[in-house]
Amino acid sequence: MAKLILIIVTQILLIAAVVSAGKGENFAKTIDKKHFGLRKEKLTHFRVYWHDILSGSNPSSVVINPPISNSSFFGSVTVIDNRLTTEVAVNSTLVGQAQGIYAATGQRDASALMVMNFAFKTGKYNGSSIAILGRNAVLTKVREMPVIGGSGLFRFARGYVEARTMWFDQKSGDATVEYSCYVLHY
């Protein structure tokens, strides 16, 4: 009997929740940003070096979908867990990881869709991240991509990054790219 009452009460509560959610007028409300501890916005600039290693026994980038033809990279999808360091040398101080994917999207040019998080592992920004999503015209000297969000100290982040290739090995595909990041956050 107690089980039956519990089931009936649960069903009544579920129906009430569905009915009240369906009204539409209470799905959003304006809240004070102080409720989230948000104060004055800050602009943070940092420079990191992104190490895309496809070669060797422990690559940080793995092609999960090869290109559709041998004449271009179009259609190729690569998953990354790349080191972010303070200097060009791959063995310099590690500050975080770039985790995500990039997909070759240009049929007639070398461009990629970059979808990645810079997850910081040291110092003041330990545990924080920024999210980058945008087009990377990889043969252009300076590429700009948007910062679309973040977590931790970069909550509500927005801004952009500038990418500059510092080193590229045509045979292996390994590369080091400087990311100069300009991030507005609270």
Side-chain angles (χ1 to χ4, degrees), residues 154-165:
F154 294 118
R155 190 177 294 151
F156 291 105
R158 65 187 194 281
Y160 71 99
V161 298
E162 291 179 345
R164 292 172 178 81
T165 302

Side-chain angles (χ1 to χ4, degrees), residues 70-89:
N70 290 336
S71 62
S72 78
F73 289 108
F74 179 69
S76 174
V77 178
T78 304
V79 175
I80 64 169
D81 187 13
N82 291 346
R83 289 173 57 89
L84 294 174
T85 65
T86 57
E87 303 294 332
V88 174

Side-chain angles (χ1 to χ4, degrees), residues 30-108:
T30 302
I31 57 175
D32 188 346
K33 66 182 182 178
K34 292 176 187 168
H35 176 73
F36 288 101
L38 303 176
R39 296 172 294 285
K40 186 177 178 182
E41 258 186 329
K42 296 175 253 184
L43 175 63
T44 299
H45 172 256
F46 52 93
R47 179 175 294 121
V48 293
Y49 294 88
W50 182 86
H51 301 278
D52 198 38
I53 308 299
L54 291 138
S55 65
S57 61
N58 191 23
S60 64
S61 298
V62 177
V63 176
I64 60 169
N65 189 59
I68 59 172
S69 76
N70 290 336
S71 62
S72 78
F73 289 108
F74 179 69
S76 174
V77 178
T78 304
V79 175
I80 64 169
D81 187 13
N82 291 346
R83 289 173 57 89
L84 294 174
T85 65
T86 57
E87 303 294 332
V88 174
V90 71
N91 61 354
S92 62
T93 304
L94 179 73
V95 294
Q97 298 294 128
Q99 298 172 327
I101 63 170
Y102 58 85
T105 55
Q107 290 187 35
R108 290 169 203 77

